Amino acid sequence: MHELSVCIALMQQVERIAQEHDAGRVERIVLQVGPLSGVEAPLLEHAWPLAAAGTLAEAAELVIENAAVKVECTQCGAVSEVAPNRLLCASCGDFRTRLVSGDEMLLASLELSQMNSQPVQQQCV
Amino acid sequence: MCDTCGCNITPGNEHLVRGDGRLVKTDEGREAVTVLQSLLSENDHQAAHNRTHFDRHGVLAVNLMSSPGAGKTALLEATIEALGAAYRIAVIEGDLETENDAERIRARGVEAIQIATGSACHLDAHMVHTALHQLDLDPVDILFIENVGNLVCPASFDLGQHRNITLLSVPEGDDKPAKYPVMFRAADLVLLTKTDLLPYLTDFRPERAERYLRELASESPMLSLSSSSGESMEDWLTWLRSEVAAQRERIRQGATLRPAIQPDGIRLHSDASAGHAHTHGHQHAHGVAHAPGGEG
């Protein structure tokens, strides 16, 4: 259960970005988590309130997008959607494939509310 | 780490940055910011710092991962016995409690720093950094980091090591790679340990364990050995010697090496130096510097 560690790291990241944008509140946090990331979405959702309590992201909606596991065959070039523990090419069966999706563990985007009505000129990180 | 310039856009997330671009106002007047940073970017940053530290001191750092009781400490004891005269070895031990493993290593005349993680199920880059403050790396050739026994969490945390080794002991069963794909995908080398038990545990088929590993699209070598009987130790020692030589060559060339896949590792970080050189806040193509498939 390392998801709490991940949430605490995420919280630090979110606070830093919110500060850079002069935001008063974080409204929405979108994550991307693939089955091969080593992180479980339901566990993240459970751990999140502990990390967010008392912060400017306390009331934020946490959205976790799942990514399918896809491999590209280095032998025949086919791209197939596969099971996390069977990364073989669905077309030719070769094991020499390259993962193109499914190990994502990303903070994809944030929605922020401003402290004041001044439009923010600063570009995103 | 290229977290900032848009080069971490993958086929899985490119839709997030199409259309309105990276900074848009939503209907409610909120500001939407596309980030696309690894959730562990704080850890990754510290890990990169640790790796620089190892390289500067000419150290090869190897992370040992396995389930509890697979024989990590016994492997280290046997390795120190075999190579202790040829290489200067140091060990960082991670366990929830006790100094037991560090004491076993120290009994072999090798410096060992014990990290007691309390309830934490893995080591992270910050814990390793703290331990490094207690260790003089100048006289060290190989630093082994013995991670907390756990086939799940340690795979997600880069510590700054150059190589990951995952141990699979015969009593655990040969289907562990199929059950714990994230861990076994992270291995640069899989060591099949306690092979002296193969005659008794006839259900275990080494070739089946290797097949499950290949099904994870891993081309990493799988070597077999028994630390207690000493059988087949030579293949492992040869691998280790060649890794020390490779690390010395990398240092000579000013290069470094990340271990086998950490989540998003290669794709996000293969262009680290270019990423930092760019002005933040705009999105652009990086051309051929990326690992294939890394472009949005």
Side-chain angles (χ1 to χ4, degrees):
Chain A
M1 170 63 184
H2 56 292
E3 278 77 2
L4 183 57
S5 309
V6 173
C7 278
I8 290 168
L10 168 64
M11 196 55 238
Q12 290 169 346
Q13 234 174 319
V14 167
E15 283 192 313
R16 182 173 48 73
I17 294 163
Q19 254 171 21
E20 285 169 6
H21 289 264
D22 209 17
R25 261 162 58 108
V26 180
E27 306 286 355
R28 193 163 187 263
I29 300 171
V30 181
L31 308 183
Q32 265 205 339
V33 174
L36 282 170
S37 69
V39 171
E40 280 303 310
L43 295 180
L44 274 184
E45 283 164 358
H46 278 112
W48 172 249
L50 298 173
T55 72
L56 44 73
E58 190 168 38
E61 176 194 6
L62 184 68
V63 179
I64 302 181
E65 295 184 348
N66 295 300
V69 180
K70 287 184 189 166
V71 294
E72 182 181 79
C73 182
T74 62
Q75 304 305 303
C76 78
V79 173
S80 14
E81 192 169 331
V82 293
N85 64 355
R86 208 172 152 80
L87 308 182
L88 305 178
C89 174
S91 178
C92 74
D94 204 283
F95 80 96
R96 286 164 292 182
T97 62
R98 197 172 52 76
L99 194 73
V100 293
S101 165
D103 64 345
E104 293 87 350
M105 178 167 43
L106 293 174
L107 169 54
S109 66
L110 293 179
E111 279 183 29
L112 308 169
S113 291
Q114 304 306 304
M115 274 176 197
N116 51 47
S117 55
Q118 293 288 315
V120 170
Q121 297 300 321
Q122 184 188 358
Q123 285 189 291
C124 68
V125 290
Chain B
M1 273 140 276
C2 190
D3 284 334
T4 50
C5 70
C7 73
N8 46 9
I9 297 160
T10 71
N13 60 35
E14 60 181 333
H15 62 283
L16 293 166
V17 292
R18 285 207 205 100
D20 289 327
R22 294 168 58 77
L23 183 60
V24 294
K25 295 279 182 194
T26 65
D27 290 343
E28 300 86 25
R30 297 175 184 174
E31 181 185 7
V33 182
T34 303
V35 185
L36 292 182
Q37 289 179 337
S38 164
L39 287 186
L40 291 171
S41 62
E42 298 284 333
N43 181 77
D44 292 349
H45 183 75
Q46 179 65 61
H49 174 82
N50 292 354
R51 190 151 27 241
T52 303
H53 197 60
F54 297 139
D55 291 339
R56 195 172 294 147
H57 288 84
V59 173
L60 171 72
V62 177
N63 178 32
L64 297 180
M65 299 184 285
S66 76
S67 56
K72 295 184 292 302
T73 313
L75 174 73
L76 289 179
E77 288 173 318
T79 304
I80 291 165
E81 194 69 37
L83 293 184
Y87 297 105
R88 296 160 299 180
I89 296 172
V91 178
I92 293 176
E93 289 283 350
D95 280 296
L96 272 61
E97 296 290 352
T98 82
E99 288 257 337
N100 292 357
D101 284 358
E103 283 165 7
R104 282 171 62 182
I105 299 299
R106 287 178 198 133
R108 305 268 163 169
V110 162
E111 187 169 10
I113 309 296
Q114 180 79 50
I115 302 175
T117 62
S119 58
C121 49
H122 60 274
L123 294 179
D124 67 26
H126 295 92
M127 293 182 207
V128 170
H129 182 245
T130 304
L132 289 177
H133 284 303
Q134 302 169 53
L135 194 61
D136 178 10
L137 285 180
D138 272 334
V140 174
D141 296 312
I142 308 170
L143 175 69
F144 288 107
I145 303 169
E146 185 184 328
N147 219 310
V148 177
N150 178 344
L151 279 178
V152 185
C153 314
S156 297
F157 293 84
D158 187 3
L159 308 176
Q161 75 276 28
H162 303 101
R163 288 298 195 188
N164 280 334
I165 298 176
T166 302
L167 282 68
L168 167 58
S169 68
V170 166
E172 292 173 65
D174 54 23
D175 59 351
K176 278 290 182 294
K179 289 177 172 171
Y180 297 88
V182 177
M183 172 58 74
F184 282 90
R185 261 171 48 77
D188 295 291
L189 170 69
V190 174
L191 279 182
L192 196 58
T193 60
K194 307 190 188 184
T195 52
D196 52 309
L197 297 177
L198 279 172
Y200 311 100
L201 300 169
T202 50
D203 285 351
F204 192 104
R205 304 270 178 77
E207 64 278 10
R208 199 156 52 196
E210 179 153 5
R211 181 164 55 79
Y212 283 126
L213 178 68
R214 299 297 163 234
E215 288 181 359
L216 303 178
S218 169
E219 297 187 52
S220 297
M222 176 181 268
L223 302 176
S224 303
L225 58 83
S226 166
S227 303
S228 60
S229 77
E231 77 187 34
S232 307
M233 282 291 286
E234 198 46 46
D235 288 346
W236 149 244
L237 298 174
T238 300
W239 183 90
L240 195 55
R241 286 188 199 101
S242 72
E243 286 299 320
V244 173
Q247 170 67 352
R248 286 177 179 163
E249 180 59 21
R250 280 191 296 272
I251 290 168
R252 211 178 53 75
Q253 297 183 353
T256 192
L257 179 76
R258 287 173 58 90
I261 311 298
Q262 304 286 339
D264 291 300
I266 302 258
R267 200 162 51 220
L268 288 185
H269 306 302
S270 60
D271 197 20
S273 56
H276 277 294
H278 290 297
T279 308
H280 294 177
H282 65 278
Q283 186 195 333
H284 50 87
H286 278 288
V288 295
H290 284 283
E295 292 293 345

